[in-house]
Amino acid sequence: MKTIFYNEIRTTEGKEKFERYLTLAEAGNHIGRNNRYYFGSGTTEDEGKAFQWYLKSAEGGDSDGQYSLGYCYQNGIGTTKDEEKAFRWYLKSAEAGNLLGQNNLGDYYYFGTGTTKDEEKAFQWYLKSAEGGDSDGKYSLGYCYRNGIGTTKDEEKAFQWYLKSAEAGNLLGHNNLGDCYYFGTGTTKDEEKAFQWYLKSAEGGDSDGQYSLGYCYQNGIGTTKDEEKAFQWYLKSAEGGDSDGQYSLGYCYQNGIGTTKDEEKAFQWYLKSAEGGDSDGQYSLGYYEVKAFQWYLKSAEAGNLLGQNNLGSCYQNGIGTTKDEVKAFQWYLKSAEAGNLLGQNNLGSCYQNGIGTTKDEGKAFQWYLKSAEGENLLGQNNLGYCYQNGIGTTKDEEKAFQWYMKSAERRDSDGQYRLGYCYRYGIGTTKDEEKAFKWYLKSAERGNIFGQNNLGLCYENGIGTVKDEAKAFQWYLKSAEGGNSMGQVNLSYCYRNEIGILKIKKHQNKLKNRCHNCEELNSQDNACSNCELIPKWTSGNVEIDKIIQMTQSDDDAKEWEIWRWINYSKFRDIEYLAEGGFGSIWKAEWIDMPEELFEFYKSNHVVLKKLKDSQEISSEFLKELKANFQCRDRYVLPILGITQDPKTKEHAIVLRYMKNGNLRDFLKQNNSLPWIERLWLLNSFIRGLEIIHSKGLIHRDLHPGNLMITEVYNNSKHKFIRLGDLGLCRFANEISSSGGAYGILPYIAPEVLHKYQYTQASDIYSVGIIMWIISTGKIPFAIRAYDSELAVDIFNGLRPKINRDTPQCYIELMEKCWHKDPTKHPSTKMIFDTSERWIEELMFNDNTEHSLMFLKANEKMQDKDFEFSSAETTHSGTYLTSHILPSPLHIQPSSILGFDVNKLNFNFNDN
């Protein structure tokens, strides 16, 4: 905590005033003694004589003299510095009612200077000073309430005392009141008021306030963005010694923000910031490697303590020189033993991690303690970490929390991040997700890559704030660009799951259409609430219109979840692609695609799935639409609308175009994918199926042709699957046992072939075959005709031959999926959780049993003799689109194989 001592301004009242004080002093007047020589008023300044007169005044019982004498002992003015004597004179002054003495006595109890540390006594003396009207005391009391120092934490009381301090003209009060308004601490968040209080603090000369004001101008917080003004205020703050201002000024010079770009000036200001203990400045200084090393070498050899510390950093990290940890340790030791706080912190790190010396956690703790007690931010953070994890000392989470708090309150981004972590998980304090969010936000805004990642987690999951996927994405992006591996992983997760990539607005019903019947404005785009007339965009089918209106009346739906009736004339460049099991597939451009959709997909290309015999809307077609409506989700291929070809009268479903095709085609072109990419494909596919199963539905037609591959922003690293074609998707009670089986033979579960027993477990059988395709890239049973004989073999236990280099854990899960007993099939959740765990292990710990299996399989794929994709000839009787299937029930066993299908042996084939 910073404290303002009232250094009274030197006067120029001249000799008359000096003579008046001298006369009073010689007559024994305490006021004359207290003021005679302090300012050199009318005579030459003389700290020794000032001290003597303060002593006389203090011993005579004058509280001002006692305060001034304490100040002399504290700062070595006219005497030897002596904190214990300073404490005793501040105590006398405070007990006599001197407000300044009371505030400074509070400081001494708070820091344990010249006395035993006692936060409760510190609070009590701050309270006396504040209630007596001292603005410093009011500020200090606000600080205590804000951080729970010697009293119960109370942000509203903190705000009130900061306000009183600020209104009394205290510069630190101005700045901290600005912080309260900026972060909404103890009051309603108000950036304009924050700006105004920062302005008062800055104009009063406070370097913290000047930095804060520069930050406001740079980012347009509570005022118009103005980089030139930002630069000017950063300059004032930097010249006033504020390390944050120095770092920001260096950043301005480096990037030409509000001034001409100047690398040399940037280096000098980063250097000042680094020397002041600012971790951001130290990091940025590494940009100037060779210059930094040469400067530090000269400085260190001349005995400069900071130079010695920073030279150690150069040797440790190989900045501008050859890396040498032993030399690094030696220079840190020189700097630390001479009292340099950064050197002490870095020496602690050497002992903790065995850098250039033998590992010794006890010594690490002691050096961190020295650095922390000297107010070094990095030392405070590392000391907190030691207490949190019991490194070199007894584990004490409350002490860890307190040290993180000290660092965080002084705007250290690492301390702010760690404090947020403590609040999130209740480490050394009560769990409080809102406070966790606030501290992550402070850390993130100061550029901390760990704080940025955790802030992204807060926004993604609604931890301590309103859920906002777009903000989550942006903070993950910042963290990833800063080099944080967790940020990179979470950014990848966002890409693969289309989380917050762009701000996709919720659908809003707008008042813009007028009903042709009653001339009233519609309450929605699509239907008149007054006369309930069918809207002008009608499909001509009441049931289709009803489903479209259901999507459009959902206020919680996002734009990509809204269906539209699209006039066929809105499509151009219509191109035939393929024949599917239920109709033909066409590609087209949607010429007036809504802006929100175009911004999300970055393309106006769509797919038209023209349905066979759909000139008249059938109940089956409506069931498909209803299934899609119930399963609207980012993991299921979205329907964008419905249309009708005016020539053929065929209805068509308009779908998102997936330019990378389906899983079968993708694997054919990418036969050497690393296993983590294969697991991502499985993981994203199973998410879509989990959505369908969670609604109580059964897909019934799972095969690679229905698993569509996409990517975001042409980024080849982020491939994922969207599950499509819900044409056969039904509730179990809607499935007729006499309706026959439909699909592609190898993916149909044996119980379905036998008795048409469709269940969610039969979908899982299909998952097992798809897992085999993901592992091999091959077509199952490609050398055989997909006929009744193959159906009988599958029913009897035939499964695709497993590649010998497939990871064993993957094999075991795959075999569970295609087990002969459907009751032993895993659920979609179990498959998802397992694949998620494998992915996490591969990303963060490549030494686990599972990770080693997948990494070994990757190595096998790199062998020149390894053939991943099949070169075998595909049988002419093999088909890749859904068909009516033969069932063992329809086979005449006596004429083909000579046995009764109802007596088939279900034992597994060992292939």
Side-chain angles (χ1 to χ4, degrees), residues 428-622:
T429 187
T430 304
K431 185 175 180 178
D432 190 320
E433 290 187 346
E434 290 187 7
K435 288 181 181 176
F437 169 79
K438 286 182 180 179
W439 285 108
Y440 285 149
L441 178 62
K442 291 186 183 192
S443 174
E445 289 179 336
R446 292 187 55 75
N448 187 283
I449 57 177
F450 303 103
Q452 290 167 343
N453 176 67
N454 281 30
L455 188 63
L457 287 170
C458 288
Y459 276 121
E460 182 185 349
N461 299 291
I463 299 170
T465 188
V466 177
K467 187 173 181 178
D468 190 322
E469 291 184 349
K471 286 184 179 178
F473 174 83
Q474 291 302 324
W475 284 110
Y476 287 146
L477 179 62
K478 287 181 183 289
S479 177
E481 289 176 342
N484 182 22
S485 60
M486 279 301 300
Q488 292 164 352
V489 169
N490 286 327
L491 184 65
S492 174
Y493 182 87
C494 287
Y495 275 126
R496 294 180 190 277
N497 295 284
E498 296 179 309
I499 294 174
I501 297 165
L502 285 173
K503 292 184 178 179
I504 302 301
K505 300 176 183 177
K506 287 185 177 180
H507 175 68
Q508 295 179 348
N509 298 314
K510 303 173 185 175
L511 297 173
K512 65 179 182 180
N513 289 331
R514 189 174 296 278
C515 177
H516 296 291
N517 180 55
C518 65
E519 296 299 321
E520 293 294 324
L521 287 173
N522 296 341
S523 62
Q524 300 178 12
D525 285 349
N526 310 310
C528 178
S529 60
N530 187 47
C531 65
E532 299 183 356
L533 195 69
I534 294 176
K536 63 182 181 180
W537 52 256
T538 178
S539 68
N541 182 281
V542 174
E543 293 299 322
I544 290 179
D545 291 348
K546 189 183 295 184
I547 293 174
I548 292 175
Q549 289 179 19
M550 285 170 64
T551 72
Q552 296 185 342
S553 62
D554 184 355
D555 290 333
D556 291 327
K558 295 183 175 62
E559 285 293 341
W560 59 267
E561 296 177 305
I562 302 302
W563 297 0
R564 300 161 175 82
W565 177 260
I566 307 169
N567 192 296
Y568 202 76
S569 64
K570 299 299 183 182
F571 300 111
R572 70 182 181 192
D573 297 334
I574 301 173
E575 173 189 351
Y576 173 78
L577 293 180
E579 197 70 21
F582 295 94
S584 55
I585 308 298
W586 303 71
K587 178 183 175 184
E589 281 189 68
W590 182 3
I591 59 176
D592 64 346
M593 175 184 274
E595 183 180 350
E596 292 87 352
L597 289 180
F598 181 80
E599 282 299 314
F600 185 61
Y601 296 128
K602 296 297 182 185
S603 170
N604 67 341
H605 287 107
V606 294
V607 163
L608 306 180
K609 177 184 174 184
K610 292 185 179 181
L611 303 171
K612 293 176 181 177
D613 305 320
S614 62
Q615 288 82 358
E616 298 296 328
I617 299 298
S618 67
S619 62
E620 293 302 308
F621 177 52
L622 291 175

Side-chain angles (χ1 to χ4, degrees), residues 41 130 171 189 238 303 424 429:
S41 303
L171 302 181
K189 185 172 180 176
R424 182 177 178 188
T429 187

Side-chain angles (χ1 to χ4, degrees), residues 673-675 678 804-808 850-863 866 868:
L673 283 177
W675 264 99
R678 299 179 190 282
R804 66 178 181 275
D805 294 320
T806 305
Q808 184 60 34
H850 298 141
S851 295
L852 292 172
M853 288 183 189
F854 288 111
L855 292 173
K856 184 178 180 181
N858 283 340
E859 292 175 1
K860 292 287 186 181
M861 279 193 290
Q862 303 306 315
D863 293 345
F866 181 80
F868 184 81

